[in-house]
Amino acid sequence: MNRRDFWINQGFFQLAWPACVVGAAFGQLWPSVLLVTLFAGWQFSGGRAHADDARTALWFLACGLVLDTLWQQLGIVSYALAWPLEGFAPLWLMLLWLALAMTVHHSLAVFQQRWWLFTVAASIGSPLSYLAAARLGAVEWTAPSWLVVLCIGPVWALLVGLLFRQAGRMTSRTAVGSLAAEGAGR
């Protein structure tokens, strides 16, 4: 990945959080849909896509749907702009998971081999992100603060850290498979 693509990928990712969270806080879905669609359009065009991007996105979306729906069902948090289905992780939050997935093989690829480092950083950063979202009105903490932090911090961080680890394994297998196919073609 060249330097320009790195910064564009990371820039889209950094813009995704306010587009999704602030948009939801104001009852607007279009900012998150627009930004993440532009991000995906850019990422999957011009030869920038990684062979495992789609599979990684599916893993992140599935895990995000289960985790954020579980927290809502358990009464830990409640989400603004609960669309398309009440009681499930909303679309704006799933778009945020998709935006994160589109960095895994690109601007955040370093964490594939250092997934434990990502886990440590995310155990602090994820509750702060949810707190900021709560202050803006996109998320409501419906359980005591200590419980929300305990659930979101370590659980989210460990799950996403393991997703980065799995992405690194997929990348390694893809690279080995490509080398084997290249060798067989000679």
Side-chain angles (χ1 to χ4, degrees), residues 139-151:
V139 177
E140 180 183 352
W141 291 18
T142 52
S145 296
W146 67 268
L147 183 58
V148 176
V149 170
L150 185 63
C151 287

Side-chain angles (χ1 to χ4, degrees), residues 98-162:
L98 178 59
L100 177 58
M102 288 188 289
T103 66
V104 172
H105 298 290
H106 305 282
S107 63
L108 296 182
V110 67
F111 292 114
Q112 290 178 8
Q113 303 307 316
R114 294 175 184 89
W115 64 273
W116 53 270
L117 183 60
F118 183 88
T119 301
V120 171
S123 66
I124 297 163
S126 59
L128 292 175
S129 179
Y130 275 78
L131 177 62
R135 296 266 166 96
L136 289 168
V139 177
E140 180 183 352
W141 291 18
T142 52
S145 296
W146 67 268
L147 183 58
V148 176
V149 170
L150 185 63
C151 287
I152 291 174
V155 173
W156 191 93
L158 183 60
L159 175 68
V160 177
L162 290 172

Side-chain angles (χ1 to χ4, degrees), residues 44 51-68 93-94 96-102 104-105 156 158-171 173-174:
F44 290 105
D52 293 319
D53 275 345
R55 190 174 2 178
T56 299
L58 289 174
W59 274 105
F60 270 70
L61 287 169
C63 289
L65 179 64
V66 169
L67 189 61
D68 284 311
L93 192 52
M94 299 312 302
L96 200 50
W97 277 95
L98 178 59
L100 177 58
M102 288 188 289
V104 172
H105 298 290
W156 191 93
L158 183 60
L159 175 68
V160 177
L162 290 172
L163 286 169
F164 268 87
R165 180 175 181 232
Q166 180 62 26
R169 288 181 170 180
M170 285 189 298
T171 298
R173 277 184 253 153
T174 300

